[in-house]
Amino acid sequence: MVSRVIPVDSFDLVIFGATGDLARRKILPALCQRFAEGQMPPEARVIGAARGDMSRAEFQALISDAFDEFMGDSAPDAETRASFIEMLDYVPIDAASDQGWAELATRLRPDVVRAFYFSVGPSLFGSLATQLGKFGMISDETRIVVEKPFGHDLETARALNKTLAAHFDERQIYRIDHYLGKETVQNLMAVRFANVLFEPLWNARFVDHVQITVAESVGVGGRGPYYDKSGAMRDMVQNHLMQLLCLIAMEPPYCFEPDAVRDEKLKVINALDRVLPTDIVRGQYLAGADSASYLTEVESPESLTESYVALKVGISNWRWKGTPFYLRTGKKLRSRTSEIAVTFRDPPHSIFGETVPWRTNVLVIRLQPDEGMTLRVMIKEPGPGGMRLKDVALDMSFADALGDDMHIPDAYERLIMDVMRGNQTLFMRGDEVEAAWAWTDPIIAEWQKSADKPKPYDPGSSGPEDALMLLHRDDRRWREFR
Ligand SMILES: NC(=O)c1ccc[n+]([C@@H]2O[C@H](COP(=O)([O-])OP(=O)(O)OC[C@H]3O[C@@H](n4cnc5c(N)ncnc54)[C@H](OP(=O)(O)O)[C@@H]3O)[C@@H](O)[C@H]2O)c1
């Protein structure tokens, strides 16, 4: 197959928090893949930084072990991997003090793109920005990549935006939401805006409702006490589900440029209705035969934080008024599934009598597992016996469509290369994040005022019973977990 990889220009990338979970599991494997595919130039520099006092060789050994653990079958051949590891450098640094910063400055080149990846706890984002300014490391070609969570609420997000803005222009700030880097999510835009087929139907007249599901089968595990301070609404809805909703609901941007796309997403967030308390269900998972309950895992028996949330969201604009968007996300559910399902309305009149099943046309965009799309359509059941109808799936799995030898890039691969290219289309703008918090905050404030407990649900189930009712009462059903 002819390679379509376009190499990026040389760069210096500093990863703060390079010894942490995210860097070892996602960021460095993603860079290694891009290196293997020839997109990352061999003269690029990748410098790890964390407080741990270790030599360059020790850091390289740590990352080599991480590749063994996390890259599995997708790892490039040993020679390529060794060449990539050989490029890695390390500087011990403390984000919260002056230690190590002068040394880091000496390792950077003046005339290449310079990116700083903030893969540390959010309380350090402000210090990192300040230290980069103090030690003169910010040039016009400098970019920063900021991990989630971006703030805890509107007030903290605003404060963080302000701190970053004191040192960087908005065009230099890349707020990452890795959902936006997923192939299928980008494909969603391709399906909507590169085909004439769907757009005429993409409105309240033809779409009955939309379901967005991001389900995890694991619990909070060792992150319990940390997770308990946020919950599903802050951890998942305010960012990932909101971004997916925006891509489904936005108007066609006038071009595929960062601000054109982000302007349209912002309009969707601003048009979201305030969610009524009766349109939200929160849940907490119970103990299973061999697993602890949410309350045990977060070590807080009275906690009111949700490990599951389902909500019905309305959008007040001409396109969507009257089409509900149902969102749900949670931990310890039946399977690890992320998908968007757009259910179209019934035909206005059936010439086949009552044999036509109900709301059959569904476009499902699968984010995981098995990225791909399915469109359910009605056909005649083959063979004799009159006009019996059957709904079938027009299925496109990316793995099948692209062939076994095609590597589907992980979201981080795409996003990090976009940073180097200077393309912010798949990153959140400051005003977008603030608008999302402005919508989320009153919902959380309502919960905090009431002493209502989240509804219990069994681990391995599809969530609390009440979440089923959220759709049943509208004469609709959640899709089964795959
Ligand atoms: N892990 C994930 O799957 C995931 C997913 C999405 C977002 N995130 C976000 O990504 C960030 C990193 O998460 P993580 O899971 O990788 O955390 P982690 O495993 O706890 O790693 C934190 C890293 O930061 C370094 N660090 C801590 N304090 C520091 C300081 N004062 N100066 C310099 N380095 C310091 C640590 O090394 P030393 O202790 O040696 O300094 C370590 O390398 C967080 O903001 C998290 O919310 C993580």
Side-chain angles (χ1 to χ4, degrees), residues 46-124:
V46 179
I47 304 166
R51 287 171 306 179
D53 190 16
M54 64 176 86
S55 66
R56 177 170 178 244
E58 284 168 330
F59 177 65
Q60 290 177 340
L62 180 87
I63 300 309
S64 184
D65 289 348
F67 286 0
D68 288 341
E69 189 177 348
F70 300 120
M71 287 187 83
D73 293 344
S74 66
D77 63 76
E79 199 182 322
T80 310
R81 226 180 84 157
S83 306
F84 175 80
I85 298 267
E86 188 49 36
M87 293 167 71
L88 302 178
D89 198 356
Y90 181 77
V91 180
I93 216 165
D94 184 355
S97 78
D98 287 353
Q99 186 213 314
W101 287 89
E103 176 56 31
L104 176 62
T106 65
R107 311 264 179 115
L108 300 174
R109 294 172 291 174
D111 48 2
V112 294
V113 166
R114 198 178 271 185
F116 297 98
Y117 200 125
F118 293 7
S119 181
V120 293
S123 62
L124 294 171

Side-chain angles (χ1 to χ4, degrees), residues 219-399:
V220 294
R223 287 177 70 219
Y226 166 80
Y227 180 91
D228 199 45
K229 293 195 193 90
S230 55
M233 193 71 186
R234 287 193 168 100
D235 194 45
M236 299 298 290
V237 177
Q238 184 274 343
N239 38 56
H240 304 318
L241 279 86
M242 177 72 79
Q243 289 297 321
L244 299 179
L245 181 141
C246 284
L247 295 177
I248 289 282
M250 72 184 187
E251 295 299 315
Y254 70 92
C255 64
F256 195 56
E257 290 293 328
D259 279 335
V261 173
R262 299 188 300 177
D263 284 348
E264 295 306 335
K265 281 162 50 193
L266 179 62
K267 285 184 207 162
V268 173
I269 304 174
N270 286 335
L272 294 179
D273 294 341
R274 180 107 183 235
V275 184
L276 301 173
T278 48
D279 286 342
I280 307 182
V281 176
R282 291 188 301 150
Q284 273 178 353
Y285 57 83
L286 297 165
D290 51 6
S291 63
S293 69
Y294 176 79
L295 294 176
T296 306
E297 287 193 329
V298 301
E299 298 163 24
S300 172
E302 301 300 320
S303 170
L304 297 177
T305 305
E306 73 289 353
S307 62
Y308 173 100
V309 65
L311 53 165
K312 176 182 174 183
V313 180
I315 303 177
S316 279
N317 62 20
W318 274 48
R319 186 186 284 265
W320 291 118
K321 189 76 189 174
T323 293
F325 285 65
Y326 298 96
L327 318 184
R328 64 177 163 168
T329 181
K331 294 195 177 286
K332 275 273 165 90
L333 296 171
R334 190 167 303 144
S335 62
R336 181 167 176 254
T337 303
S338 296
E339 63 166 42
I340 302 165
V342 180
T343 299
F344 293 90
R345 294 191 192 278
D346 286 333
H349 165 67
S350 170
I351 63 167
F352 304 108
E354 293 309 307
T355 55
V356 179
W358 191 63
R359 289 182 205 137
T360 323
N361 296 143
V362 184
L363 176 68
V364 181
I365 299 130
R366 292 189 304 276
L367 278 68
Q368 67 191 19
D370 179 25
E371 286 193 59
M373 291 191 201
T374 302
L375 177 64
R376 296 204 77 87
V377 292
M378 296 302 292
I379 61 162
K380 176 190 171 297
E381 205 172 313
M387 193 60 160
R388 283 178 288 117
L389 300 176
K390 178 181 166 62
D391 81 297
V392 293
L394 300 180
D395 209 348
M396 192 190 87
S397 147
F398 287 173

